[in-house]
Structure formats: C-alpha cells, structure tokens
Amino acid sequence: MSDLSPADVAKRAAALRAAEFVEDGMRVGLGTGSTAAFLVRRLGERVRDEGLRLRCVPTSEATARLADEVGIEVVALDEVGWLDLTIDGADEADGELSLIKGGGGALLREKIVACASDRVVIIADGAKDVAALGAFPLPVEVIPFGWQATKRLIEEMLVGLDVGGREVVLRERGGAPFVTDEGNRILDLRLQRIGDARGLALRLNQIPGVVENGLFIDIADTLVLGFEDGRVEVRDLSGAQGTVPFRDADNVFSDLAD
C-alpha cells in the first residue's frame, strides 16, 4: 500500500495536521528537513487545488527548491518583513516546548525565521518527544575562521556544566566538513543530557566564532506530534492538548501515486 516507513507515516501525519493552520493570504515560514518536506508538498497541493494564496520564506535552499517545484511563491524575509506563521520540524522537544534543532544544518535561518513570526508551530514524529533535551547532538554553527579555537573554547566552557557528556565533533558530509547555506561549519555537541538548556544557550552564544546554537527556547508556541498509526497530538503553551485520528486512514497515503 505504501513505501513510507512507520516514522515517515508519523511525520506526514503531523505535517498534514499543521497544514490546516495555514490560511489564505498568510506569510509563512517553511522549515527544513524530512518532516517539513511533507508540509511543503501538502501546501503545494492546497495552492493548486484550493487556490490558496501564500507568500513563503524558506529556511534553506533545499526547502526553497522544493517549494518552487510544488508551485508555492517563495519570497525573501526582508521582502515581507514579518511572518504570520512558521511551521518547522525539530530533533527533540520537551514538555515546555524547548527544542533542539539543526540536524539538517539550517539552524541559523530557522531561528531567524521563527523569531520573525507571530506564531511558531513545530511538527515531529512522536519519537522526538523527550523528557529532557540532550540525547540528540546539539548543533552549533561556527564561522570557518579559527573553528578549532572555537571548538576548544566550547569544550572548556562545558567543563563543570550540568551535562552528561562533553564530546564536540565537526560535522562532515562525504568526508569533508559540512557547509551551511551561509558558508559556515557545524559543531555537534554530544551532551547526552542538558541540565540547563537556557543557560547553555546563553553561554554558547558568548563564545567568539559561534554564530548560533540549536537550542530553541521560548520560541515554539504549538507542538504537533504524529504517530505511526496516524494519530496526531497537538500541544500548546496554554497546556491544552488533544489527540485526534485521521478521518480516513487512506489520507496518509493519498498522494503517493502522484
């Protein structure tokens, strides 16, 4: 019936539910990653089938290409000035809607776009819901110049902090350093557990050479979690939450033949 893995079924379920928050005429920030890609494709369907008028700011070149392919109008953030809504994925989310993001390497643009939005909706599969942040390596974007010195400063800063590990690794792709859309590098901090995410975020951004870190604190307003059976759970900062099934289980797979 489908080539989607159980994890992708969950991601797609969350993306389809979050797409319902988008209304005609909105200025929308589009996230980066596999979950966000399901959202972009769904919004492309709505543009085509419903005549939905959107002006969208992508958080990466990959998202911009996909949005253009599916017929979504892509604009620069400076062109629209401010956004009504941003929908993006996350690598981890805790009960306070604090996040780790940046697994796709777009954390700088993602944070700028999210902070320039009236509302931020995070979409993820249920496995990203955690009691405490830190099992997923924390990405830190650094400039290329003197990155090894920056790495050493980060390692020294981590000594004495309430974290479970202190390994700092340069992210690579294909045997070469990973390069962000802004031409920077990514250091992945393998911390295992973060005791004080807010304090760590502030201290990281005080280190020379650090551009931004992947801790998103007090940014997300709503979390939409998808599950392998098609259920979707929506949580927001007010503490309200609810779990709803798809009206039609076939909806999870309805566009696979396109």
Side-chain angles (χ1 to χ4, degrees), residues 30 79 87 94 106 120 127 162 165 198 203:
L30 301 176
E79 183 178 342
I87 305 177
D94 70 10
V120 176
D162 184 13
R198 188 184 305 275
R203 296 187 69 170

Side-chain angles (χ1 to χ4, degrees), residues 74-224:
V74 173
V75 296
L77 182 58
D78 289 340
E79 183 178 342
V80 295
W82 199 259
L83 300 170
D84 301 295
L85 171 68
T86 286
I87 305 177
D88 201 351
D91 299 301
E92 285 186 343
D94 70 10
E96 297 180 349
L97 272 62
S98 295
L99 316 170
I100 286 182
K101 288 178 50 55
L107 65 100
L108 177 58
R109 292 192 187 183
E110 288 173 338
K111 190 171 284 189
I112 291 171
V113 169
C115 290
S117 305
D118 287 334
R119 184 181 185 187
V120 176
V121 175
I122 298 299
I123 52 178
D125 63 273
K128 305 301 193 303
D129 181 25
V130 298
L133 301 177
F136 190 91
L138 173 63
V140 178
E141 186 160 345
V142 301
I143 67 170
F145 177 81
W147 71 265
Q148 293 187 49
T150 303
K151 176 176 178 288
R152 180 171 178 175
L153 288 170
I154 292 173
E155 291 168 338
E156 291 176 352
M157 181 271 294
L158 291 173
V159 175
L161 292 190
D162 184 13
V163 293
R166 298 183 180 87
E167 184 180 9
V168 180
V169 179
L170 178 69
R171 184 179 300 184
E172 295 186 349
R173 175 175 291 175
F178 174 86
V179 179
T180 72
D181 286 339
E182 303 301 322
N184 296 318
R185 306 293 185 264
I186 297 285
L187 296 176
D188 287 315
L189 280 54
R190 299 175 179 174
L191 306 177
Q192 302 173 23
R193 178 188 52 79
I194 299 173
D196 179 10
R198 188 184 305 275
L200 177 57
L202 291 173
R203 296 187 69 170
L204 281 168
N205 282 7
Q206 292 175 340
I207 295 176
V210 171
V211 180
E212 191 51 85
N213 69 83
L215 287 166
F216 283 51
I217 312 295
D218 299 331
I219 292 177
D221 300 295
T222 303
L223 174 64
V224 181

